[in-house]
Every structure is written in C-alpha cells, then in structure tokens.
C-alpha cells in the first residue's frame, strides 16, 4: 500500500527522471563524438533510444492499468461511504421518530391508537442502497453480511409501509368518520366508537399502531448492527480510509 501511494504520488517525477536520464545520455554521447554529426550520433545509439520508447510504453501501460484499478477502488470506497451514511441516517431518523411518539409508550393500546397523531415517515430513505453494487461483500470473510444488509433495508421499507398504512387508517378512515360526531367536552366509549367507525376499523388501527411500536426498535437495532459490521469489514479491506462510524 505504501509503495502504491508513492508511485501514485510521484509518477510524474519518475517519468521526468527517465526522460532526464535518456536526454543526458544522448548529450553525453554527442559531446564525445567530436567529428560526427548529431544525426549520425542518433543513428549510432538507435538501439538505446528504442529502449527508451519501450520504457515509455511500459510506463504508459502501467499508468493506464494502475489508474483503472485506482478508479475502481475509489468508486467502491465512495459507495461504501455512501452506504454507511444512509444507514446512519436511517437509524438517526428512527430514533427521532421514537422520541416523538415515546409519550404514548405506556398508554392503553386503544387510547394510544386513537390519540397518536399521524406522523409522516421519511420514505426517501427507502431503496437507496443498491445491493448489486455491494456484491463485493460476497468475497469477504463475512459473506452473510450482504444478506443482512439486504434484510435491514427490506425491514426499513416494511416499517415505512406499516406507518403509511397506519396513517391512512387514522386520517382517511377514523378521523373522517368521527369528525362530524365530536364536540367540545364530549367523550365516547369504545362501543360507541365502534358503532360510528365500524367494528373492523378500531382493531385494525390498534394492530397497526402496536406494530409500529414493535418494529421501530427492532429495525433500528438491526440497522445499527449492520452498520457496525460493514464499518469493520470496510476498515479491514481499506485500513487507510476513513468511514462513517455509527453513533
């Protein structure tokens, strides 16, 4: 790795050294050839000059091959960094969401389902990590990590759909049906609410609300665990690179 960095950093200087060596050699031969013209001197050292072309060709080939390898590595590292950044954002967003609904954690299930307002989930964080671009993990010592990454992203998407479905039930079904029956100071029993909104709506709203509270810590915990495993794997593969650490 150190040699690789040195070659990459001083490749131009190496080329100038080779060029200076051949120019100096030609100048030295011409200076010693007192009665010969410059063209005849060049002809006499034709093989030597041809070797300069061969060296230049090898250096060019080395530079092209090395540049492609370096570009591929840079692209892979950048996508690894992007993946860790997205996982960190997902875990952070779930933590913020948990904080906003934490005050209903110990409330009665039915009351919690009816009182918890609709809070939009950031679905822009869904499906943003391409599993195809992470297939290199299959060749790592922890090959199962790719499946874990795929599963945690699927779980995040399922969580997003669960919250969206719960919000839809709360706004489009429950609120739309009860808003014409409420008045200041009025309270309904569960039986009266079921009569207003229907027997199936309340159990469904309670079920989806409970599922939200159940999924949030599980999905966040899985994302944090995958983030840590990926960070360990990326540091093993690229020890001289910096990656986002889980908070």
């Amino acid at each position: 790795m150190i040699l690789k960095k040195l070659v990459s950093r001083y490749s131009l200087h190496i080329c100038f050294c080779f060029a200076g060596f051949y120019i100096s050699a030609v100048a030295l031969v011409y200076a010693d050839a007192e009665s010969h013209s410059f063209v005849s001197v060049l002809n006499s050292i034709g093989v030597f000059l041809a070797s300069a072309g061969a060296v230049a060709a090898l250096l060019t080939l080395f530079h092209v091959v090395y540049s492609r390898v370096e570009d591929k590595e840079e692209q892979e590292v950048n996508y690894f960094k992007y993946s860790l950044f997205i996982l960190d954002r997902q875990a952070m967003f779930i933590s913020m969401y948990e904080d906003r609904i934490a005050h209903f954690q110990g409330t009665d299930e039915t009351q919690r389902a009816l009182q918890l307002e609709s809070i939009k989930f950031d679905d822009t964080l869904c499906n943003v990590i391409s599993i195809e671009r992470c297939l290199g993990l299959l060749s790592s010592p922890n090959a199962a990590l790719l499946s874990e990454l795929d599963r945690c992203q699927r779980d995040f998407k399922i969580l997003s759909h669960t919250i969206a479905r719960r919000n839809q039930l709360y706004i489009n079904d429950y609120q739309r049906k009860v808003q014409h029956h409420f008045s200041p100071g009025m309270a309904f029993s569960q039986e009266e609410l079921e009569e207003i909104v229907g027997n199936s709506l309340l159990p469904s709203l309670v079920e989806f609300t409970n599922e939200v509270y159940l999924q949030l810590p599980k999905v966040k915990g899985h994302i944090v665990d995958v983030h840590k495993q990926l960070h360990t794997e990326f540091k093993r593969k690229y020890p001289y690179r910096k990656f986002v650490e889980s908070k």
Side-chain angles (χ1 to χ4, degrees):
M1 179 61 73
I2 296 177
L3 179 61
K4 196 175 177 182
K5 281 189 172 183
L6 288 175
V7 172
S8 175
R9 184 174 180 180
Y10 298 107
S11 59
L12 186 62
H13 298 76
I14 294 173
C15 291
F16 277 133
C17 286
F18 273 103
F21 169 73
Y22 278 95
I23 292 174
S24 300
V26 171
L28 181 62
V29 171
Y30 180 69
D32 290 340
E34 299 177 353
S35 60
H36 295 81
S37 66
F38 182 70
V39 174
S40 62
V41 169
L42 291 180
N43 289 333
S44 65
I45 58 174
V47 176
F48 176 74
L49 293 178
S51 67
V55 171
L58 287 174
L59 287 175
T60 302
L61 180 62
F62 170 79
H63 179 72
V64 170
V65 172
Y66 178 75
S67 296
R68 289 182 179 178
V69 172
E70 194 174 45
D71 289 344
K72 184 179 179 181
E73 177 182 309
E74 192 66 28
Q75 291 176 6
E76 185 176 46
V77 168
N78 287 338
Y79 198 77
F80 286 165
K81 290 181 178 180
Y82 170 77
S83 300
L84 290 176
F85 171 74
I86 292 297
L87 290 172
D88 187 65
R89 287 283 306 276
Q90 290 173 343
M92 182 175 64
F93 181 79
I94 291 178
S95 295
M96 293 171 58
Y97 199 96
E98 285 180 316
D99 291 341
R100 294 185 65 180
I101 67 174
H103 54 286
F104 287 118
Q105 183 70 45
T107 311
D108 174 74
E109 289 184 353
T110 302
Q111 292 301 316
R112 180 172 67 183
L114 298 178
Q115 295 176 15
L116 181 62
E117 297 180 355
S118 170
I119 303 176
K120 181 173 173 55
F121 193 81
D122 189 1
D123 56 4
T124 61
L125 291 174
C126 296
N127 298 326
V128 289
I129 297 180
S130 172
I131 300 300
E132 289 78 7
R133 295 189 64 177
C134 300
L135 290 177
L137 292 172
L138 290 174
S139 59
S140 70
N142 188 6
L145 188 53
L146 182 66
S147 298
E148 290 297 312
L149 175 62
D150 181 55
R151 187 161 67 87
C152 83
Q153 292 307 289
R154 291 177 186 273
D155 290 345
F156 188 84
K157 186 175 181 180
I158 290 172
L159 174 62
S160 174
H161 287 170
T162 301
I163 293 176
R165 179 57 181 152
R166 191 265 167 193
N167 290 343
Q168 183 182 12
L169 284 173
Y170 184 79
I171 297 174
N172 297 342
D173 297 330
Y174 174 73
Q175 287 286 356
R176 182 173 56 83
K177 291 181 179 180
V178 302
Q179 63 182 345
H180 302 297
H181 298 272
F182 275 120
S183 60
M186 181 180 292
F188 292 100
S189 65
Q190 184 170 339
E191 290 75 15
E192 290 173 326
L193 282 175
E194 288 179 352
E195 184 178 345
I196 294 173
V197 301
N199 294 331
S200 62
L201 179 57
L202 273 183
S204 295
L205 187 58
V206 170
E207 179 184 356
F208 275 97
T209 304
N210 290 344
E211 192 64 26
V212 169
Y213 277 90
L214 182 65
Q215 288 183 19
L216 282 170
K218 288 185 177 181
V219 175
K220 185 181 75 171
H222 192 200
I223 288 175
V224 171
D225 180 60
V226 170
H227 187 290
K228 290 180 179 178
Q229 291 188 62
L230 283 174
H231 185 272
T232 301
E233 173 57 28
F234 296 161
K235 289 296 292 182
R236 181 197 66 79
K237 189 172 183 180
Y238 300 108
Y240 297 97
R241 300 281 191 154
K242 292 184 178 180
F243 297 97
V244 178
E245 296 186 19
S246 59
K247 297 178 182 179

